[in-house]
Amino acid sequence: MELTQRILTRSGCYQAGRTITPKGIMVHSTGVAQPNPEVFLRLWDDPDASACVHAIVHQGGVIQTLPWNYRAWHAGKPPKGGLSANNTHISFEILEPAGHTYQGGVMAGYDAAGNAPYFTRVYRNAVELCAFLCRLYGFDPKRDIVDHHEGCLRDIASNHADVSHWFPKHNKSMDTLRADVAALLAGAPEEEASMTQAEFNTMFATALAAWQQDQQRKTASSWAQEAWKKAKETGLFDGSAPQAPMTREQAALVFQRMGLMK
C-alpha cells in the first residue's frame, strides 16, 4: 500500500476543524463507476462540498484526505436517531471501476470477471489501510470495522448498501475483510493473508514515518495561528507539528501545564 497525502484544506469539513477520538473504521464505496481519484479530490476540496472522508482507496494505493482525528462527513443521519459515525469512525471510500451503472441502487452491467484484477488491487489496499489504522489506534478488526450498510443496521449511519452490494460479486464480504485484516495483524502465513508480516511491518513503518515527517513540516492553519502562537509562548506546546493528533498522555501533560490537575 502506497500512502500519500492530499489534505482537502478548502473543504468545509476540514475548515470546520472539529476533531474526534476515533473508535473504529467505516468502509465505503463511491456508488459511481469512476476509478480516477482526481475526480473526487477536486469534487470534495470545495467549501460547498457536502461530503468528505479521511481517505480514498484506489488501485494504485491510498490518498489521505483528512487528518485521521478530524470529524469527517461520511455516515449521514442514522434512521433511528443514533449517534452518527461521523463522530466516532475513520472513513474511506473505495473507488469503483468504470463500465457499470446503477439502477435502483443496484449495480447494472457490472463485469465481475473483467473487473477481478481491479478489485483485487483495491481490496488489498483496503485491507492494508485497515490494518495500518488498527495498529495505529489499537482497534479490534473483528469488532471495530464496519461498512456503511452495517453502520445503518447499527443505527450509526444512513441507509446505504455499500460495500455489501459490491464485495459479494468477487466472493468477498466485510467478514472476509475483517478476517484478512486480523490475519495480517497476527502475522498469518502468506497463503492466508494479503501480505507477509515482514511486508506489513515495512509498510507500516514507512507509512508512519512519512506521516510523522509530514506533520512536522506543517504550520498552523490560518484560523488557529494566533492561538497556536500563544500556546507556544506559554509553554503548553513545544511548537512542533501543530496539526498532529494528540494522545491522551499528551493531553494529560497539557492539562497539568494549565494547572488543571493538582
Side-chain angles (χ1 to χ4, degrees), residues 59-128:
Q59 56 183 329
V62 175
I63 302 171
Q64 183 185 358
T65 49
L66 285 176
W68 301 126
N69 70 326
Y70 265 43
R71 182 182 186 274
W73 297 344
H74 64 97
K77 185 177 180 180
K80 299 179 182 178
L83 178 67
S84 172
N86 288 348
N87 301 293
T88 54
H89 283 60
I90 295 172
S91 58
F92 63 83
E93 292 275 3
I94 306 175
L95 302 190
E96 298 179 10
H100 61 280
T101 60
Y102 277 87
Q103 296 179 4
V106 177
M107 282 178 158
Y110 185 80
D111 181 2
N115 287 323
Y118 178 96
F119 182 84
T120 297
R121 289 190 291 269
V122 294
Y123 178 83
R124 172 169 175 152
N125 287 336
V127 168
E128 292 173 8

Side-chain angles (χ1 to χ4, degrees), residues 5-196:
Q5 278 192 338
R6 290 275 296 276
I7 302 300
L8 305 181
T9 56
R10 296 184 66 250
S11 71
C13 181
Y14 177 86
Q15 292 290 335
R18 294 181 62 183
T19 59
I20 65 171
T21 299
K23 305 288 188 184
I25 302 166
M26 183 165 283
V27 182
H28 302 265
S29 67
T30 51
V32 60
Q34 176 54 263
N36 185 357
E38 292 295 332
V39 172
F40 298 95
L41 291 169
R42 290 194 299 268
L43 178 66
W44 291 331
D45 197 20
D46 186 294
D48 296 324
S50 60
C52 192
V53 291
H54 293 92
I56 295 172
V57 172
H58 59 104
Q59 56 183 329
V62 175
I63 302 171
Q64 183 185 358
T65 49
L66 285 176
W68 301 126
N69 70 326
Y70 265 43
R71 182 182 186 274
W73 297 344
H74 64 97
K77 185 177 180 180
K80 299 179 182 178
L83 178 67
S84 172
N86 288 348
N87 301 293
T88 54
H89 283 60
I90 295 172
S91 58
F92 63 83
E93 292 275 3
I94 306 175
L95 302 190
E96 298 179 10
H100 61 280
T101 60
Y102 277 87
Q103 296 179 4
V106 177
M107 282 178 158
Y110 185 80
D111 181 2
N115 287 323
Y118 178 96
F119 182 84
T120 297
R121 289 190 291 269
V122 294
Y123 178 83
R124 172 169 175 152
N125 287 336
V127 168
E128 292 173 8
L129 175 59
C130 285
F132 173 82
L133 293 170
C134 284
R135 178 168 288 184
L136 189 64
Y137 285 98
F139 298 147
D140 179 344
K142 295 183 179 180
R143 180 192 64 211
D144 299 330
I145 302 175
V146 296
D147 71 354
H148 199 147
H149 171 68
E150 293 171 327
C152 179
L153 298 178
R154 294 189 186 187
D155 200 38
I156 59 173
S158 57
N159 187 14
H160 280 225
D162 56 319
V163 294
S164 298
H165 73 302
W166 180 25
F167 277 25
K169 296 181 184 297
H170 296 278
N171 297 315
K172 297 292 185 181
S173 67
M174 284 302 297
D175 286 336
T176 62
L177 182 140
R178 284 184 283 261
D180 285 341
V181 173
L184 186 54
L185 289 168
E190 186 171 2
E191 65 270 18
E192 297 179 22
S194 300
M195 66 193 307
T196 67

